[in-house]
Amino acid sequence: MARSGVRGEGARPRVRQADDLGWDDSLYDENGNPTDGGGASGGTGGDATGEDATGKGSGSTGKGGDSAHADGRAAGQGGRPVDKDGADASAEPRGQGRHGGGGGRRRGGGDGGHPRRRRRILRWSASVLALLILGTAGAGYLYYQHLSANIKKDDLNLGDEKDRAARSKANAAGQTPLNILLIGSDARDTKENQSLGGAKETFGGTPLADVQMLLHLSADRSNMSVISMPRDTLLKMPKCTDPDTKKVYPATVGLVMTNTSLGRGGPGCTVATWEKLTKIHIDHFIKIDFSGVVSMADAIGGVPVCVDANIYSKDSQGHGSGLKLKKGTTPVKGTQALAWLRTRYGFEDNTDIGRTKAQHQYMNSMVRQLRENATISNPGKLRSLAETATNALTVDKGLGSPLKLYDLGNELKKVEPKRITMTTMPWQWAVSDRNRVEPKPVEAEQLFRLVREDIALDGKDKKKTATAVKASTDPAAADDQIGVTVQNGTRTAALGPVGGRARTVSQLLVGKGFTKTEADTSTATAEETTVIRYPSADLQGDAQAVAKALGVPLSAVKKSTDVSGVTLVVGADWREGTAYKAKAQDNTTPESADVLNGAKTDACMHVSKDYTWS
């Protein structure tokens, strides 16, 4: 069984033997053009779907009052190519190197049974699918180039290198997780988007990232976690540089709404903002706008959604998305799907939080629908999905070819709905603006840490062996030459800070030989656990030396651009005494994350009484 492949521009399509596991993605660059050597082979993937919305009637960025509120979300699929074992296939291969022809990674023999037979089945399926989509070899080459040209691409991260999160660590099998940011844009940059989005006075204005979801695919591909951030979230943004105009957007001093990140140079600034907040390395992004949502929803077909009463999201003042549904379950697609995803007025308490829950219900239902109807027997359907997806999406350059999107989709399909966990970032009402929210310090960080450490949010992980933190390769300075600032972080939601705690611990450090230690008595923060932060790699060894002197675990030593030197924050877990005792780590998902499991088929949105009809 032979399989058609795409060699690159100016070359005839290449036939690969059935002995190959998949299309050799290392033969192509991020734009689908040929490279000049062998290397790691591409994995498997598929289509991406999404949705978006806006709300321009709130916050200093909005125009047009509450009637301009749009409600939405984006759901997409994307990710870094991976090999059979989950390793990063876009990384330089081991051995002779990328241009050496023979230095690419070799694939293992499977996981028991008849690995060769399994590989042949996988290869046969992929070959059939390729032929169905692409047709004959010559036409296939041209069609692949056409699909490649459809995809819009942008830079992944527009932040400074110092603000970027460390890459995800591989597990014991050498597999790495994938983190993909799904972005819904409210852009009114075309007549179609203007018609769908409304708010005519905003045509051509700066787009907002009104839907933001971080999709985490576990290293072993057994589970998937999604974190939504409400678009009304206030936070600080990092410095971003527009890659086209070279305009520099300085880091914000005060708090701003998270959705304005998209207007600071593009989706790469939204990625940089997430990395600064969560310390989670993001591998890819997928962005979609109003018209993209509608076209994808039509291509997918009806997605069942449920309301517990008749709903009409529109009032006399013009608030609402216009969604009108009868009580019970209804399949929605096209503009009706967009209205569901944008609905704020009519769900729950008429806030962005209720809208997020509706987006989670739609996304889970869509995944189940796609899995139930998955087939490779309809070439027209496959071509339609390929055409629609490549036209609807903007992705980072590392994801910018049909093969890479295809690869990614199949990686995502490995996760059963019952292992998909949808969550909302734990939040609290903002102190500075009671109409906005901010991350709930302890619980939001708990959720982010679980994702950083690739711990399944459904609590069904196999027991993992704790990975020891490696000591810094940069030697520490002499204890009496290490400058340390100590801050009091003992305040909690229920308890005030312990007076004089920073001074007590700073004196403890001085007594241990760290004579350049000073207490910062001007700051009383809230940290659940004691943490030692350092700003750059050359101070990691110094920070670890402080941790060892106090008996603080090295896992509590964190790199952070929020500090200018080694900074010890005495947390709520050390409110008294001079001997630090680390408490057992809690790996449960906070209740405030509002968990929805992907297999829950009876989820139903509560309709607020002011938006019902009979």
Side-chain angles (χ1 to χ4, degrees), residues 266-283:
C269 193
T270 307
V271 169
T273 300
W274 269 80
E275 286 203 2
K276 180 176 176 62
L277 174 68
T278 66
K279 306 299 185 293
I280 297 169
H281 177 80
I282 295 175
D283 300 290

Side-chain angles (χ1 to χ4, degrees), residues 224-545:
M224 186 189 304
S225 304
V226 178
I227 301 176
S228 287
M229 185 188 299
R231 66 114 198 227
D232 289 338
T233 301
L234 295 180
L235 42 66
K236 290 184 178 180
M237 289 187 189
K239 172 186 173 183
C240 290
T241 302
D242 189 309
D244 298 322
T245 66
K246 307 305 178 186
K247 179 178 178 179
V248 176
Y249 296 85
T252 62
V253 177
L255 301 175
V256 295
M257 275 181 62
T258 183
N259 60 358
T260 61
S261 60
L262 188 59
R264 292 165 53 87
C269 193
T270 307
V271 169
T273 300
W274 269 80
E275 286 203 2
K276 180 176 176 62
L277 174 68
T278 66
K279 306 299 185 293
I280 297 169
H281 177 80
I282 295 175
D283 300 290
H284 297 289
F285 75 77
I286 296 177
K287 179 172 77 73
I288 194 166
D289 58 17
F290 294 147
S291 59
V293 172
V294 172
S295 63
M296 286 301 301
D298 278 336
I300 293 168
V303 174
V305 295
C306 177
V307 288
D308 65 2
N310 296 343
I311 180 174
Y312 182 44
S313 179
K314 185 69 72 175
D315 64 14
S316 59
Q317 297 179 345
H319 298 153
S321 67
L323 177 71
K324 189 171 185 178
L325 293 176
K326 291 183 178 180
K327 177 181 179 180
T329 300
T330 305
V332 295
K333 63 179 181 178
T335 55
Q336 197 175 36
L338 178 63
W340 173 274
L341 297 166
R342 297 181 65 201
T343 295
R344 168 176 179 164
Y345 293 97
F347 286 153
E348 306 285 334
D349 56 356
N350 306 318
T351 69
D352 194 45
I353 307 303
R355 172 168 54 194
T356 298
K357 291 179 65 174
Q359 293 165 4
H360 290 171
Q361 184 189 137
Y362 179 93
M363 190 171 178
N364 281 341
S365 183
M366 179 188 69
V367 169
R368 294 194 300 268
Q369 195 77 356
L370 285 171
R371 291 180 68 92
E372 290 169 6
N373 298 326
T375 178
I376 60 171
S377 62
N378 186 337
K381 175 77 170 178
L382 290 170
R383 286 177 69 98
S384 175
L385 279 170
E387 189 77 33
T388 302
T390 54
N391 269 306
L393 306 176
T394 299
V395 299
D396 64 277
K397 295 175 182 177
L399 199 59
S401 75
L403 286 182
K404 290 177 180 178
L405 286 172
Y406 175 75
D407 280 350
L408 180 58
N410 272 353
E411 286 300 301
L412 296 169
K413 283 196 303 183
K414 293 177 181 178
V415 181
E416 296 287 339
K418 65 183 179 181
R419 296 301 313 277
I420 297 175
T421 306
M422 309 291 295
T423 66
T424 300
M425 176 195 74
W427 57 273
Q428 61 190 21
W429 295 111
V431 176
S432 59
D433 185 343
R434 301 300 293 180
N435 294 315
R436 303 284 177 263
V437 301
E438 60 188 13
K440 201 168 187 177
V442 173
E443 294 171 32
E445 171 54 25
Q446 167 86 341
L447 189 64
F448 300 153
R449 181 184 63 79
L450 294 178
V451 171
R452 282 196 302 268
E453 298 179 8
D454 197 25
I455 297 172
L457 298 186
D458 61 7
K460 296 178 181 178
D461 264 339
K462 293 178 181 177
K463 192 165 184 178
K464 296 182 179 180
T465 303
T467 303
V469 178
K470 294 182 179 179
S472 173
T473 56
D474 184 57
D479 292 351
D480 61 359
Q481 295 301 307
I482 298 175
V484 184
T485 299
V486 181
Q487 296 177 344
N488 186 347
T490 56
R491 176 168 56 85
T492 69
L495 300 171
V498 178
R501 196 70 186 132
R503 186 175 290 106
T504 298
V505 176
S506 65
Q507 290 171 352
L508 176 64
L509 269 175
V510 169
K512 290 180 177 290
F514 293 84
T515 55
K516 289 190 175 182
T517 300
E518 294 182 349
D520 177 5
T521 58
S522 65
T523 303
T525 60
E527 290 284 349
E528 182 182 17
T529 59
T530 297
V531 63
I532 301 171
R533 298 189 173 101
Y534 63 95
S536 55
D538 60 314
L539 291 178
Q540 183 184 26
D542 293 358
Q544 289 187 350

Side-chain angles (χ1 to χ4, degrees), residues 81-162:
V82 296
D83 65 20
K84 182 181 76 65
D85 296 321
D88 184 351
S90 66
E92 288 297 316
R94 294 185 287 271
Q96 296 177 6
R98 195 166 190 77
H99 301 289
R105 273 192 295 268
R106 297 189 62 188
R107 297 182 181 273
D111 53 0
H114 300 281
R116 192 168 187 82
R117 184 183 304 167
R118 281 200 189 92
R119 289 199 297 271
R120 285 174 177 166
I121 291 170
L122 288 171
R123 289 192 291 268
W124 182 87
S125 300
S127 299
V128 172
L129 183 56
L131 291 172
L132 285 171
I133 294 178
L134 302 180
T136 63
Y141 168 74
L142 295 176
Y143 189 59
Y144 181 86
Q145 295 301 316
H146 165 71
L147 291 178
S148 294
N150 285 348
I151 302 172
K152 297 176 286 295
K153 297 178 279 291
D154 216 326
D155 288 2
L156 174 62
N157 193 315
L158 304 184
D160 282 352
E161 189 66 37
K162 64 181 180 65

